[in-house]
Amino acid sequence: MQIDQQKCVACGNCIPVCPMGAIAIDTGLNRAVVNTNECVECYACFRGMSMEKLNPTLVRGIRRLLKIFRLRFDPEPDVCPTSAIIPDELSWPRVVRRAFSDPIVTHESTGVHGRGTEEVKTNDVTHRVGLGEAGYVIEFGRPTVGVWFRDIEKMTRALAGIGIEFEPRNPVTHMMIDRKTGKLRDDILNEKILSAIVEFKTAVENVPVVLRRVDEVSKTLDTVVSVGVSTRCDVEGNSALDGILAEEGFSYVRGKTNLGLGHA
Ligand code: SF4
Ligand code: SF4
């Protein structure tokens, strides 16, 4: 994303809209500028604000005049008064930022909006996680924090080393050049995104070793990590996971229960 320096009147309205804190007023230029290293191309600023077409010279003049009388001309808070926020033409690899950060972009690897798949929410139909298996979602990043692909790769490589099976339809898996080693494409490693989800599965008895590895690696990453593990319950609704997690000392809550109503 960029800000047209000819049009910007430094009202500051776009600053709180950016989930990455990537927009700031350059006091020397008296214009808003985007830190392109931190910008994840989420389009929140461009799409989230109304664009008015006031004349920048006129607005600057009014602001200067009012300032003399200790008054301010401020547009409504959700408005860029001069339509100064301009999307860049994104090429590879920068375009990957938008694919993982703009929730209305359809990811070509999944055909759905956003950064993951349906995970196990439809497992009663897809059977992606079978009997005796555990499915995992590892989520990296958050608004204001984000995540670099190089950090995601540290985790995927560490997990590949203990013999997991990456979900083939997941967008991060789609970025791997070798699913056996968890190696991502070199040209995306220095791209930052808002967040990403890595999905994979193992035999349920491997849950402790996987969670310990995730715990170890997450401490070395420049982002936040959260983990979900799922499995199939027996007919009484009991899950082998409960005992495993309690024995290993992990605190957990049962977040979602899929009742199987999708099963034809
Ligand atoms: S909202 Fe528009 S005019 Fe105001 S600081 Fe941002 S880019 Fe500049
Ligand atoms: S595209 Fe998103 S991250 Fe980039 S400046 Fe706009 S709001 Fe911030």
Side-chain angles (χ1 to χ4, degrees):
M1 195 62 66
Q2 58 174 300
I3 289 175
D4 186 332
Q5 300 293 292
Q6 306 297 322
K7 291 184 176 175
C8 178
V9 296
C11 69
N13 275 1
C14 51
I15 293 173
V17 175
C18 176
M20 292 303 296
I23 307 177
I25 301 292
D26 183 316
T27 49
L29 297 171
N30 198 26
R31 301 282 189 276
V33 289
V34 174
N35 178 339
T36 51
N37 206 33
E38 288 299 314
C39 170
V40 294
E41 307 291 357
C42 70
Y43 277 45
C45 53
F46 178 69
R47 217 176 21 247
M49 303 190 71
S50 302
M51 297 288 169
E52 289 186 350
K53 291 199 165 69
L54 299 181
N55 180 303
T57 310
L58 181 68
V59 175
R60 284 187 205 117
I62 293 171
R63 282 167 67 84
R64 269 197 301 271
L65 182 65
L66 291 179
K67 201 172 169 190
I68 295 170
F69 300 102
R70 294 180 172 261
L71 296 170
R72 287 173 65 95
F73 165 75
D74 281 330
E76 291 297 307
D78 59 344
V79 166
C80 174
T82 52
S83 299
I85 303 170
I86 315 279
D88 283 312
E89 284 283 325
L90 299 177
S91 54
W92 185 268
R94 190 162 178 100
V95 70
V96 83
R97 296 189 181 223
R98 188 172 183 210
F100 281 84
S101 306
D102 182 344
I104 72 162
V105 168
T106 302
H107 199 286
E108 63 180 39
S109 65
T110 58
V112 298
H113 296 169
R115 68 237 153 96
T117 69
E118 295 168 335
E119 305 154 18
V120 290
K121 298 181 191 97
T122 53
N123 201 59
D124 49 340
V125 175
T126 62
H127 304 296
R128 281 161 62 175
V129 177
L131 286 171
E133 292 180 327
Y136 305 76
V137 286
I138 305 191
E139 184 170 3
F140 302 82
R142 279 281 182 277
T144 75
V145 180
V147 58
W148 296 94
F149 271 105
R150 56 180 180 254
D151 274 337
I152 296 173
E153 191 198 58
K154 280 186 198 164
M155 185 69 84
T156 54
R157 295 189 83 156
L159 290 169
I162 53 176
I164 62 157
E165 189 184 334
F166 290 107
E167 164 57 45
R169 294 186 64 244
N170 174 277
V172 175
T173 309
H174 193 68
M175 294 292 147
M176 289 179 189
I177 52 175
D178 184 353
R179 292 181 191 177
K180 295 248 176 321
T181 62
K183 175 86 191 84
L184 302 184
R185 300 175 56 126
D186 282 327
D187 54 1
I188 64 164
L189 295 181
N190 288 325
E191 296 300 332
K192 189 169 193 178
I193 57 176
L194 205 59
S195 64
I197 294 174
V198 168
E199 295 168 77
F200 56 93
K201 64 181 184 178
T202 66
V204 78
E205 58 270 22
N206 292 340
V207 168
V209 67
V210 169
L211 293 184
R212 273 186 239 125
R213 184 63 62 94
V214 171
D215 191 37
E216 272 164 36
V217 178
S218 61
K219 291 180 178 126
T220 70
L221 306 183
D222 184 21
T223 190
V224 290
V225 172
S226 55
V227 184
V229 192
S230 54
T231 193
R232 294 170 74 140
C233 299
D234 64 21
V235 289
E236 306 292 332
N238 298 315
S239 141
L241 266 183
D242 294 4
I244 292 172
L245 295 174
E247 205 168 293
E248 291 291 320
F250 291 108
S251 60
Y252 66 94
V253 289
R254 251 199 212 203
K256 293 172 185 167
T257 300
N258 184 332
L259 296 177
L261 299 177
H263 191 61

